[in-house]
Amino acid sequence: EVQLLESGGGLVQPGGSLRLSCTASGFTFSIYAMSWVRQAPGKGLEWVSGISGGGGNIYYADSVKGRFTISRDNSKNTLYLQMDRLGAEDTALYFCAKAPSWAARAVYPIGDWGQGTLVTASS
Amino acid sequence: QSVLTQTPSVSAAPGQKVTISCSGTSSNIGNDFVSWYQQLPGTAPKLLIYDNNKRPSGIPDRFSGSKSGTSATLGITGLQTGDEADYYCGAWDSSLSSVVFGGGTKLTVL
């Protein structure tokens, strides 16, 4: 069974940093492209970033480019999102997501989702 | 402002059929496959439709998808109260090199 467990969320002051982690199990992590998707309170989905299985291909939404860094450690089955210079507009539930089994190498479409970790940027 | 455009809300009675539309451009829907996601209240999204009209294992055939040009449609037949959820369309945008979503459509089953 695929499991994606996010952690690292919390309250941070505007301008601060936070690192999210996503621990994966139930599948061969190194094969699959992974993404982070966020959802502000009461709002819709916003894709944040994606990374290929080997880490060689990385993509960002314009809204986070230059502030967020996605990475992965395949030896630990873990996906990361380093978030710097956080602002109130980054307050959201952050979901870890994986590619579906029939399109493992592609960032899109998104197959399985974790339950999310909440990030709040506020003073 | 979402890149893909969806009607904010739709409603229908149990047992009826409903369609949810999604509009994009030649850089996204017009250039790639459309996917649909269902988000039940308080839960994570779930993949409902991929490659315009394919259903993952376990998704009932009451759910269907179609695409024409730069627009896509999700259809749900035999509506159930358990179908009340937010529905999002998604696509890859080749100009942005990113995944884009619609703003979501809230389905109410009266």
Side-chain angles (χ1 to χ4, degrees):
Chain A
E1 179 192 2
V2 170
Q3 291 199 343
L4 301 169
L5 185 61
E6 303 94 337
S7 62
L11 177 64
V12 61
Q13 290 199 338
S17 298
L18 213 55
R19 188 175 86 154
L20 305 183
S21 299
C22 170
T23 303
S25 61
F27 62 101
T28 306
F29 182 73
S30 61
I31 292 175
Y32 284 82
M34 302 291 295
S35 286
W36 289 98
V37 180
R38 68 185 181 184
Q39 186 170 35
K43 302 297 184 182
L45 303 175
E46 181 187 15
W47 179 85
V48 173
S49 181
I51 185 170
S52 59
N57 294 312
I58 288 176
Y59 310 90
Y60 296 101
D62 286 345
S63 59
V64 305
K65 205 169 292 184
R67 300 187 300 122
F68 290 12
T69 304
I70 192 172
S71 63
R72 63 191 298 160
D73 185 337
N74 288 343
S75 69
K76 295 182 179 179
N77 287 357
T78 302
L79 175 73
Y80 302 101
L81 185 67
Q82 175 67 40
M83 304 185 295
D84 298 322
R85 289 184 280 142
L86 285 161
E89 69 277 10
D90 298 312
T91 293
L93 185 64
Y94 283 73
F95 296 102
C96 168
K98 67 175 278 291
S101 57
W102 58 86
R105 289 175 170 78
V107 168
Y108 172 81
I110 294 173
D112 300 279
W113 303 64
Q115 291 305 305
T117 185
L118 183 62
V119 172
T120 304
S122 174
S123 54
Chain B
Q1 192 79 350
S2 301
V3 174
L4 305 181
T5 301
Q6 294 183 241
T7 302
S9 63
V10 295
S11 61
Q16 297 299 304
K17 173 183 177 179
V18 71
T19 59
I20 296 173
S21 62
C22 175
S23 178
T25 69
S26 57
S27 297
N28 40 66
I29 293 179
N31 191 48
D32 207 330
F33 295 111
V34 176
S35 54
W36 290 91
Y37 304 85
Q38 177 194 57
Q39 187 175 32
L40 297 169
T43 70
K46 178 174 73 173
L47 179 63
L48 209 57
I49 296 287
Y50 68 98
D51 288 359
N52 302 331
N53 55 18
K54 298 177 182 175
R55 286 175 286 105
S57 174
I59 301 300
D61 59 7
R62 299 188 299 107
F63 295 90
S64 64
S66 64
K67 186 186 97 167
S68 178
T70 59
S71 295
T73 301
L74 173 69
I76 311 174
T77 59
L79 277 172
Q80 303 172 2
T81 55
D83 295 331
E84 283 203 338
D86 293 320
Y87 292 85
Y88 296 90
C89 57
W92 176 260
D93 192 296
S94 58
S95 294
L96 298 174
S97 291
S98 66
V99 178
V100 291
F101 290 107
T105 298
K106 183 178 183 60
L107 169 64
T108 301
V109 181
L110 302 168

